Amino acid sequence: MRQAGRYLSEYRILREKAGNFLNLCYNPKLAAKVTLQPVERFGFDAAILFSDILVVPHALGQEVKFVDGNGPRLRAVRNKQDLNKLFDRIKLDRLSPVYETVSLVAGHLSKDVALIGFAGAPWTVAAYMIEGGTSKNFEFVKEWTRRDPSGFEILINRLIEATTAHLYAQIEAGAEVVQLFESWAGIVSSSDFQKWCVGPVKIITKRVKERFPDVPVIAFPRGAAMGYVGYAEATGVDALSVDYTLSPTWVAENLQTHVPIQGNLDPQVLLVGGSAMKDAVHVIKSALNGGPFVFNLGHGVLPQTPTDHVAELVQLVREE
Ligand code: 1CP
């Protein structure tokens, strides 16, 4: 999840120095510092590269901006003509600062702290590319899948290629684990979920495994609900990140029996802290500590979160 970010004063200082968010992503020295900040402050067991899922459309030639307080803005791609204006293949040289960040971080982390690289899953990245930003109803992406499925598939295939290349480059630079973020798994029908979410993630996972059999692949199909059942088996991922809507005991009985689990504290509970957080951590640990488990949030840290709460959470998780 996003573990760096605005809840850290040391992040806000570097963010201001960089000017805008993408400048920060493409400045290896600063991005490496931001990646390391939360690990240095809280002693996490893993660092996640500081970057964004939207650097992939950017390297495919799409205009991408981050407007402060408003999230991402992209020049929307709505049909085949728009698609033809982008590059056929990802320009990896545009992302060389990201890979340089990975190697800088890898050189600074102690051996017992894992470095996680990541990318957005194709469906989720396509949704941002087509909607032009975040969306309430996702009408443009859904419309395209129905009006012109074969045209939409060209975009998905391009994203499968781009994402695979982007993950390969991160692994070559020193990422030890990769995570695929499928943040918009929850907006599709179950058959579309199989076709547009499961299918592409399966292909990417297979390709990563072919080239790097020892690098674990984690997937986070946020909001997939019933779609979580059978997802790891169908995609071949090594671990499943679960969002906070799933009950930890249900996850233990129905998912953890097949696949290692990462999750799933509600970030809102981290923000509130105190006994609410203590109780929620207890529920998660009691349900999931008996099997392969990585404690994590069920989504990214909220900007208003007090840092004391994060420190206390780490302590609660590490307590027997
Ligand atoms: O610790 C880290 O910061 C890790 C780096 C990281 C990751 C893994 C960032 C930095 N973003 C992401 C993934 C990401 N980006 C996802 C998948 C996870 C999720 O569902 O949150 C998504 C959807 C994005 C797109 C994105 N980036 C949004 C849009 C969210 C929406 O409502 O549609 C926004 C606002 C961002 C900006 C961003 N990316 C990362 C950070 C720290 C921030 C905040 C920027 C800032 O406040 O300075």
Side-chain angles (χ1 to χ4, degrees), residues 5-320:
R6 281 181 293 167
Y7 77 106
L8 291 174
S9 54
E10 59 268 37
Y11 169 84
R12 292 194 297 267
I13 293 167
L14 292 190
R15 171 81 158 72
E16 196 146 317
K17 211 168 150 186
N20 69 56
F21 177 73
L22 272 184
N23 279 354
L24 185 52
C25 291
Y26 294 144
N27 181 323
K29 273 200 188 123
L30 294 186
K33 271 194 187 154
V34 172
T35 305
L36 293 165
Q37 282 172 345
V39 181
E40 280 161 1
R41 198 193 251 255
F42 303 111
F44 294 134
D45 300 299
I48 182 155
L49 165 70
F50 182 79
S51 177
D52 199 80
I53 64 169
L54 299 178
V55 299
V56 165
H58 199 217
L60 280 167
Q62 191 170 17
E63 192 181 308
V64 178
K65 283 186 193 151
F66 282 84
V67 185
D68 280 342
N70 270 315
R73 286 272 173 283
L74 299 89
R75 184 187 295 249
V77 174
R78 297 263 159 91
N79 49 46
K80 264 192 267 186
Q81 288 90 307
D82 292 345
L83 197 50
N84 287 338
K85 292 184 199 140
L86 303 185
F87 307 132
D88 291 341
R89 320 190 57 161
I90 187 168
K91 295 230 190 268
L92 282 188
D93 52 332
R94 289 197 171 194
L95 298 182
S96 57
V98 176
Y99 312 129
E100 203 180 319
T101 305
V102 174
S103 33
L104 282 176
V105 174
H108 273 86
L109 281 177
S110 71
K111 270 212 195 90
D112 52 356
V113 179
L115 176 54
I116 307 176
F118 72 93
W123 165 258
T124 291
V125 175
Y128 281 102
M129 292 176 78
I130 295 165
E131 298 296 328
T134 197
S135 171
K136 219 171 168 182
N137 299 317
F138 296 92
E139 58 200 81
F140 294 108
V141 59
K142 290 183 166 192
E143 195 259 348
W144 191 351
T145 62
R146 304 225 150 76
R147 170 176 49 81
D148 173 28
S150 62
F152 180 71
E153 201 166 2
I154 298 173
L155 172 58
I156 288 290
N157 286 338
R158 213 173 281 182
L159 284 169
I160 291 173
E161 299 301 326
T163 308
T164 306
H166 185 44
L167 293 177
Y168 282 171
Q170 290 178 57
I171 296 166
E172 276 154 10
E176 299 165 288
V177 182
V178 290
Q179 174 152 346
L180 285 164
F181 286 93
E182 187 74 278
S183 302
W184 300 121
I187 63 167
V188 282
S189 67
S190 56
S191 60
D192 281 351
F193 178 72
Q194 293 304 320
K195 180 158 188 196
W196 302 120
C197 298
V198 171
V201 167
K202 179 181 176 178
I203 297 171
I204 294 167
T205 304
K206 183 165 168 274
R207 293 194 185 160
V208 171
K209 302 258 130 218
E210 276 163 8
R211 190 165 316 180
F212 301 102
D214 299 329
V215 172
V217 180
I218 309 169
F220 179 40
R222 177 166 74 97
M226 271 174 57
Y228 270 103
V229 177
Y231 178 91
E233 296 88 327
T235 55
V237 298
D238 299 284
L240 202 52
S241 205
V242 295
D243 67 69
Y244 57 82
T245 64
L246 300 187
S247 121
T249 46
W250 184 89
V251 171
E253 285 162 18
N254 295 281
L255 304 176
Q256 199 185 32
T257 42
H258 306 284
V259 62
I261 295 295
Q262 172 176 288
N264 73 342
L265 185 74
D266 184 345
Q268 183 70 34
V269 173
L270 176 61
L271 189 152
V272 171
S275 61
M277 177 165 84
K278 233 177 163 165
D279 294 348
V281 171
H282 178 73
V283 168
I284 294 172
K285 282 176 64 176
S286 330
L288 290 159
N289 262 359
F293 179 51
V294 176
F295 191 97
N296 200 234
L297 298 188
H299 203 192
V301 182
L302 295 166
Q304 322 86 295
T305 304
T307 48
D308 295 358
H309 294 186
V310 182
E312 194 190 341
L313 173 65
V314 172
Q315 228 178 5
L316 287 171
V317 171
R318 296 229 164 103
E319 262 168 21
E320 278 307 312

